[in-house]
Amino acid sequence: MSEPTTLASWTRALRKQLDALGLDSAALCRQAGLDPALMDDPNARYPLSATTRLWELAVAASGDPALGLKISTYVSPTTFHALGYALVASASLREVFERIVRYHQVVSDAVELELRREGERYLFHLRVPAAGPEPAPEAVDAFAAIYVRTCRNRIGRDYAPLAVHLRRPRPEDPQPWHQVFRAPLSFGAKENLLEFAVEDFERPLEDANPELAEHNEAVLKRTLEQLQQPTWARKVRACLEAQLPNGEPSAERIAQSLHLSLRSLQRHLADEGCSYEQLLGDTRQTLALAHMRDPRCSISEIAYLLGFADTSSFSRAFKRWTGQSPSQYRESLPR
């Protein structure tokens, strides 16, 4: 497995914070093994091991274990490539977080993100990939604070999530974390998790700009394609996307498309930690959410495009993915 990487420009926000504290951020970068000049290249990336080392050096030099929480004030839309502008133009907080999940690898592939609805809450998970290195706890603090600040920028400064769960050990002084999140907070949690109210996430945002969001999504898709190596899982997803409109393809048919035996395909996918059934479900879910945002696509058409035998089969699967029927989900979309 190749080492996770992070967008170099994201580290610029940490440099600005260190400079504001009177510290030599360029010297700390070099000490961590990072070339400071790369931060001006919008497509340059740093290895996770080096950025984790920079966080360690930054906390030691500043004497501030809550350093990660404060970085959000130095973040602008350009910090996160086209993703920042796509988020600013999103029509609801749910759309904001769906885009974060879809394109977060443009910023960093050190964590896996998932947005899931449970009852009247949206659960936003930040997981470390299996056998992957753990990011610096300050980096997780920073991302969690940025996500909450993003919500406040869109719906008001008084906004707070329902709860915040962090894997990091409880700090000696937890007050800075309480001041930033203003929500029930647990340290030493099983996973990094933010909880949000469905009502807040579904509310239409007045300053949405679908055209701007769409333009930046096109940029993000190209960037993702360049970043992603052609793994067997991605090859299977591409085949599924092409073949689903003709009905649900069998694993055998996908294997034939890739000039493999079924057993070889299953072995390749197992080596990558996934299965054909999992990829089929994930691909359908991703496509379903994209199609649902297109008002020109009827629910029966979406069922057909995803290879379901009928609309009721699609509706059952969609409710399993989102906790809502397709019609409920579509009615809740900002108009």
Side-chain angles (χ1 to χ4, degrees):
M1 177 187 279
S2 58
E3 182 179 1
T5 60
T6 298
L7 199 65
S9 58
W10 147 238
T11 313
R12 192 188 299 129
L14 175 55
R15 279 197 66 185
K16 286 180 182 176
Q17 187 178 6
L18 293 171
D19 289 339
L21 293 171
L23 299 169
D24 187 342
S25 66
L28 289 169
C29 283
R30 286 191 288 271
Q31 195 178 339
L34 300 174
D35 178 358
L38 286 179
M39 289 180 201
D40 296 324
D41 179 347
N43 296 308
R45 303 183 74 81
Y46 289 141
L48 178 68
S49 56
T51 53
T52 298
R53 176 69 179 142
L54 177 61
W55 277 109
E56 291 168 354
L57 293 168
V59 170
S62 66
D64 185 1
L67 194 70
L69 296 171
K70 299 161 187 173
I71 201 171
S72 66
T73 56
Y74 296 92
V75 165
S76 67
T78 56
T79 305
F80 298 121
H81 205 276
L83 179 57
Y85 289 111
L87 299 186
V88 166
S90 296
S92 68
L93 287 181
R94 184 184 69 202
E95 203 172 284
V96 165
F97 279 79
E98 285 175 350
R99 285 195 166 109
I100 289 171
V101 170
R102 200 152 57 242
Y103 299 115
H104 75 278
Q105 287 187 322
V106 169
V107 178
S108 175
D109 56 1
V111 291
E112 293 174 343
L113 304 183
E114 181 193 11
L115 181 67
R116 184 163 51 86
R117 180 172 174 169
E118 272 192 14
E120 291 307 301
R121 293 179 176 227
Y122 273 111
L123 306 183
F124 185 66
H125 301 262
L126 296 85
R127 299 190 181 101
V128 178
E134 191 86 30
E138 295 79 17
V140 176
D141 288 344
F143 275 110
I146 288 165
Y147 297 141
V148 172
R149 183 183 173 88
T150 299
C151 296
R152 288 175 183 153
N153 286 344
R154 300 305 302 277
I155 64 173
R157 294 172 65 182
D158 295 331
Y159 176 78
L162 293 177
V164 174
H165 308 267
L166 297 171
R167 280 169 55 89
R168 64 144 53 242
R170 181 182 174 84
E172 281 186 30
D173 177 15
Q175 193 56 32
W177 284 262
H178 287 289
Q179 286 174 344
V180 167
F181 295 117
R182 306 200 293 269
L185 190 58
S186 59
F187 296 102
K190 189 170 67 174
E191 64 175 325
N192 298 304
L193 170 67
L194 304 178
E195 299 185 28
F196 301 99
V198 165
E199 182 183 2
D200 295 328
F201 261 42
E202 304 291 2
R203 189 190 314 169
L205 299 174
E206 293 177 0
D207 52 353
N209 187 327
E211 191 177 339
L212 179 63
E214 200 172 304
H215 168 74
N216 283 285
E217 279 220 0
V219 176
L220 288 163
K221 284 174 184 170
R222 286 198 302 273
T223 306
L224 259 189
E225 284 168 9
Q226 290 162 5
L227 283 175
Q228 293 176 334
Q229 298 169 351
T231 62
W232 288 106
R234 293 191 185 110
K235 291 176 183 177
V236 168
R237 284 180 192 270
C239 287
L240 284 168
E241 289 182 13
Q243 296 186 26
L244 277 170
N246 300 318
E248 181 181 318
S250 64
E252 288 89 347
R253 178 138 62 96
I254 296 294
Q256 286 171 359
S257 302
L258 295 169
H259 309 291
L260 294 171
S261 68
L262 176 60
R263 183 170 291 183
S264 293
L265 177 62
Q266 289 170 331
R267 188 175 66 251
H268 286 313
L269 294 180
D271 288 344
E272 292 177 10
C274 61
S275 68
Y276 171 76
E277 291 73 20
Q278 180 188 339
L279 291 171
L280 175 62
D282 289 351
T283 303
R284 277 176 155 167
Q285 182 177 355
T286 301
L287 291 173
L289 294 174
H291 289 318
M292 289 294 285
R293 283 197 291 272
D294 184 351
R296 297 166 296 184
C297 257
S298 69
I299 289 169
S300 58
E301 280 178 300
I302 296 172
Y304 166 78
L305 289 169
L306 299 183
F308 284 96
D310 50 50
T311 306
S312 59
S313 302
F314 167 59
S315 296
R316 285 194 297 273
F318 194 86
K319 189 153 193 178
R320 196 168 62 247
W321 298 328
T322 65
Q324 294 176 290
S325 69
S327 54
Q328 287 171 329
Y329 182 91
R330 181 160 267 178
E331 283 167 15
S332 69
L333 289 172
R335 299 185 189 284

